[in-house]
Amino acid sequence: MAQHAPVSAGIGTGVTSDEVFRVETHGIDPIPEADRHGSAKDLFWLWFGSNLTFTYVINGALAVSFGLSFWQAVTVVVIGGLSFFVISAAGLSGIRTGTATLVISRAAFGVLGNFPAGLLNWVVSIGYTVVNTVVGTLALEVLLTDLGLAAGHTARALALAVTLAMTFAVAMWGHATVQLAERWLAYVLAAGFGVLLLLLLPGAEFGGAGAAGGAGFSGWTLAFVVMLAGPFSYLPMPADYTRYLPPQTSLRSITLSGALGGLVSSVALGVAGVAAASQTDMTDAVAGVEGLLPGWFRPVFLLLVLGGCVTNSILTLYSSSLNLQVLGIPWSRAKAIVISVVVTALGSLGALFLTDFTESLLSFLSLLIIVFAPWGGVFLADMLLRRCRYDTDALHATGRTGAYWYRAGFHPAGMAALLTGMAFAALTCDSELWTGPLVAPLGGGDLTLLGSVVSGLTYWAPARRTVRAALPV
């Protein structure tokens, strides 16, 4: 039986292995029922806080740049926000198994077949953490310079150190501290971004045409890819944050709580981006929004950019430590996270002081949706087929005797469906680094996200028999 710590000031968990401001002792090992705690409402603040990031302002502005009018762009923003219902529902697998998403996906792909996606997901999570760290650092650097506290490389180095420290400290402490930080940062950021929205909306051109005078099929599909790519990138994570919830927590409660959190924050900030783009050039989004704001709000705005970057990075950095354990790093979660932090720091240093590779990194990361949209389709289809009934012991068995070893460590149905979905996504992708041969014949549309539908449907029929055979009795 776990030893319970006293709940202090209403913020403690009462669970020693996952207490606020103490290093979490669990990693991807199944969370025992004695250590389960919290409620579905915790997920609201987790997804609400982590999505109060300036990225959604940029995404809303991009929708307008693709030719959509104000209301057309808002429609895309709302549909993107609704996708959090799928992300949040996927968290039921964590409640049923008590382990991380990328452990659970072994059931769909096999123990060894799960490895490539796990490795790529770690690359993506670190990549986005680097981008967020760079953006947050630059915002804090401007603020330090404006306040006369530092200038030049000194200001940039100090800003980077502060940004990394804020992110690392929370993520290293672990699950309980991550949830607490997301909640309290959400209070502050929500108030600030609420004021930002009120300042931007009055000047918006609600009835104007899009930047290109009409989006067309290409503009619509690109806007959907931009708005849905963010939520899709969370698919390898939801169980990471539900695995501590009591087993009796209902699907309805976790779906509504988590989805509303992601929906409200992403839509509000997306609409702010749409409003800004209808008034000014948003090629440099931070500078564009800044130019629309009164001088007194400038320091607050820069702090909002920094805070949003930190809340998002906390989530991705924490999951990256679990990811490394899935990949076989024989360290505790708290030690494994040091690898992610060192790589993030090196990448950020390179972007800020040596060469500006941020745009190239973003292009590369966006291209990886060719892998993760189909991966998500297979994972969700497998979860539905099983109705989240997994053999938890088999998920952690890495030998040939486990139920999820399949054939030589690979699940044929899962791998075939993944490759089929990836082929479709690659053929219909329209990005800076790659344009698929079917893009032009399809009228210039980017149908990458439909790779998830293709892979899910491809998986469904052949997997039904093997899935039923592997269901726990």
Side-chain angles (χ1 to χ4, degrees):
M1 180 67 68
Q3 294 182 348
H4 291 258
V7 179
S8 60
I11 63 171
T13 66
V15 176
T16 304
S17 60
D18 184 41
E19 187 56 274
V20 174
F21 303 130
R22 296 183 188 174
V23 176
E24 175 192 4
T25 58
H26 288 300
I28 61 172
D29 54 302
I31 307 300
E33 191 166 344
D35 285 358
R36 301 290 191 97
H37 62 87
S39 66
K41 68 181 181 181
D42 296 330
L43 299 176
F44 173 86
W45 294 108
L46 180 84
W47 292 110
F48 181 69
S50 62
N51 285 284
L52 285 170
T53 173
F54 194 72
T55 301
Y56 288 107
V57 177
I58 297 173
N59 290 348
L62 283 173
V64 175
S65 74
F66 295 144
L68 273 65
S69 68
F70 180 93
W71 291 113
Q72 289 172 336
V74 167
T75 299
V76 174
V77 167
V78 172
I79 293 174
L82 290 172
S83 65
F84 277 100
F85 278 90
V86 177
I87 306 303
S88 191
L92 182 61
S93 59
I95 294 172
R96 293 283 178 82
T97 63
T99 193
T101 304
L102 284 169
V103 174
I104 300 166
S105 60
R106 289 170 175 167
F109 300 101
V111 174
L112 298 183
N114 189 59
F115 188 89
L119 180 60
L120 281 176
N121 184 70
W122 182 78
V123 172
V124 169
S125 63
I126 294 303
Y128 279 116
T129 305
V130 169
V131 171
N132 275 320
T133 300
V134 169
V135 173
T137 297
L138 292 175
L140 183 55
E141 178 192 358
V142 172
L143 182 59
L144 292 173
T145 302
D146 287 350
L147 295 175
L149 299 176
H153 285 333
T154 302
R156 181 165 294 190
L158 179 59
L160 175 59
V162 171
T163 305
L164 283 172
M166 291 170 64
T167 306
F168 170 68
V170 174
M172 185 273 297
W173 269 318
H175 175 266
T177 310
V178 167
Q179 288 198 317
L180 181 71
E182 294 290 356
R183 176 191 289 262
W184 285 99
L185 285 170
Y187 294 154
V188 178
L189 292 175
F193 277 119
V195 174
L196 176 69
L197 186 60
L198 291 175
L199 291 172
L200 293 177
L201 277 178
E205 296 183 19
F206 297 100
F217 181 61
S218 174
W220 277 98
T221 58
L222 286 171
F224 274 115
V225 168
V226 165
M227 292 309 304
L228 290 169
F232 259 77
S233 69
Y234 289 124
L235 264 177
M237 299 183 192
D240 301 2
Y241 303 99
T242 58
R243 72 194 203 282
Y244 276 97
L245 291 177
Q248 65 271 22
T249 308
S250 69
L251 172 62
R252 177 185 175 86
S253 63
I254 67 163
T255 300
L256 286 177
S257 294
L260 288 176
L263 172 69
V264 172
S265 52
S266 65
V267 169
L269 270 63
V271 170
V274 173
S278 71
Q279 304 172 61
T280 188
D281 178 17
M282 289 285 284
T283 304
D284 182 338
V286 174
V289 172
E290 235 180 337
L292 298 172
L293 300 174
W296 62 266
F297 195 71
R298 175 184 166 99
V300 177
F301 171 66
L302 293 172
L303 286 173
L304 289 175
V305 174
L306 169 64
C309 290
V310 169
T311 59
N312 196 261
S313 291
I314 286 171
L315 207 71
T316 55
L317 192 60
Y318 174 78
S319 284
S320 76
S321 64
L322 298 175
N323 197 335
L324 286 172
Q325 289 191 312
V326 174
L327 294 175
I329 299 296
W331 294 353
S332 67
R333 182 209 58 82
K335 290 182 179 178
I337 203 172
V338 175
I339 297 175
S340 296
V341 172
V342 169
V343 175
T344 298
L346 292 175
S348 302
L349 283 169
L352 291 165
F353 292 99
L354 300 179
T355 180
D356 184 7
F357 67 88
T358 306
E359 287 189 15
S360 299
L361 178 60
L362 280 171
S363 298
F364 170 70
L365 293 173
S366 65
L367 189 64
L368 289 182
I369 196 171
I370 291 175
V371 176
F372 283 106
W375 182 92
V378 175
F379 174 73
L380 291 174
D382 182 76
M383 190 180 74
L384 288 172
L385 281 172
R386 299 177 191 277
R387 297 186 179 182
C388 287
R389 293 169 57 201
Y390 299 92
D391 183 336
T392 302
D393 291 335
L395 287 173
H396 292 271
T398 56
R400 298 175 180 272
T401 58
Y404 304 124
W405 183 257
Y406 301 112
R407 296 182 185 175
F410 296 85
H411 187 194
M415 300 307 296
L418 176 63
L419 292 174
T420 302
M422 286 174 59
F424 176 87
L427 290 171
T428 58
C429 175
D430 184 15
S431 70
E432 291 185 15
L433 298 181
W434 167 258
T435 301
L438 294 184
V439 171
L442 291 172
D446 186 332
L447 304 181
T448 315
L449 289 172
L450 289 181
S452 61
V453 178
V454 171
S455 65
L457 293 176
T458 304
Y459 180 76
W460 190 272
R464 282 183 297 180
R465 182 176 300 174
T466 56
V467 165
R468 287 197 187 104
L471 286 177
V473 179

